[in-house]
Amino acid sequence: MDMRVHQCGQAMRDAVIAVIEAYHEAQCRIMDVEKKRIAAPVVGQFLKALKDELARLVPDTFVLLYDRQRLRHMVRYLSAISIRAQRGYTDLEKDRTRQGLVAPFIDQLNRMLASMDAATSTEKRMQVESFFWMIEEYKVSVFAQEVGTDGPVSAKRLKKLIGEIERMV
């Protein structure tokens, strides 16, 4: 048993390090764009949005929040943000168009979260969390296809999940 605990701890440590490295890479890509000192407000808004995504995905307590499986996915999400930072700077209009594909689902998620209260069932809470992660997968497919998603994801699938969640208590 002692060996399995050690191996499990080692695997968790490796997963955490991979997330920290991917987070650092994303921060560096964002800082590279900031160093270019572009005064355009849209560039500032773009960079702020990416920083907010990083903070939301990797809060200070991320090690306590996510299991090893989720940490593995986090590396892909962070890689997608890195790629988005680089591409967005090159073609901000294209990024804004792609963000337009994702924004309605983020808005829907925020409405779901705002409507939840103590009476919200555990099942619904779990589905809302699944919706959150499906949006992250959708972002990968929209902004950085080469990173690859963890299974099929599309606007149609997101809309279907919204319908299922809306029917829950």
Side-chain angles (χ1 to χ4, degrees):
M1 179 176 146
D2 188 52
M3 186 60 156
R4 281 188 305 201
V5 170
H6 177 72
Q7 288 172 334
C8 190
Q10 192 81 11
M12 185 65 165
R13 187 196 75 163
D14 293 346
V16 168
I17 289 170
V19 168
I20 291 168
E21 288 172 346
Y23 180 86
H24 177 73
E25 175 64 25
Q27 278 189 317
C28 288
R29 291 272 172 94
I30 292 168
M31 285 192 300
D32 288 346
V33 176
E34 284 178 327
K35 287 176 188 171
K36 294 181 181 4
R37 300 254 187 245
I38 300 160
V42 289
V43 174
Q45 291 165 354
F46 168 69
L47 295 173
K48 183 183 179 328
L50 292 181
K51 287 178 185 178
D52 290 348
E53 276 197 48
L54 283 177
R56 186 178 44 78
L57 277 174
V58 188
D60 292 342
T61 58
F62 82 95
V63 176
L64 302 173
L65 296 174
Y66 305 137
D67 62 16
R68 197 169 73 221
Q69 176 92 358
R70 178 60 56 206
L71 291 172
R72 188 173 54 80
H73 294 301
M74 295 294 295
V75 172
R76 287 184 309 100
Y77 306 147
L78 294 167
S79 295
I81 291 172
S82 290
I83 291 167
R84 184 179 175 196
Q86 192 172 19
R87 287 186 182 151
Y89 167 70
T90 307
D91 191 346
L92 198 53
E93 196 52 45
K94 193 173 191 179
D95 183 87
R96 289 174 75 175
T97 301
R98 290 177 176 176
Q99 181 59 29
L101 299 172
V102 176
F105 299 111
I106 295 170
D107 293 343
Q108 181 65 42
L109 174 67
N110 289 333
R111 284 191 294 277
M112 287 176 186
L113 292 171
S115 72
M116 291 170 64
D117 59 24
T120 304
S121 69
T122 302
E123 181 186 20
K124 184 171 184 175
R125 289 176 189 280
M126 290 171 61
Q127 283 296 83
V128 170
E129 183 177 350
S130 293
F131 182 60
F132 171 87
W133 293 117
M134 190 182 279
I135 292 170
E136 291 306 314
E137 293 293 340
Y138 187 56
K139 287 178 189 176
V140 169
S141 76
V142 169
F143 294 108
Q145 282 185 337
E146 66 272 30
V147 171
T149 61
D150 183 45
V153 65
S154 64
K156 185 177 177 180
R157 287 177 188 266
L158 284 162
K159 289 175 186 171
K160 182 179 179 222
L161 185 53
I162 289 168
E164 291 172 11
I165 292 169
E166 286 176 344
R167 288 188 291 277
M168 295 178 163
V169 177

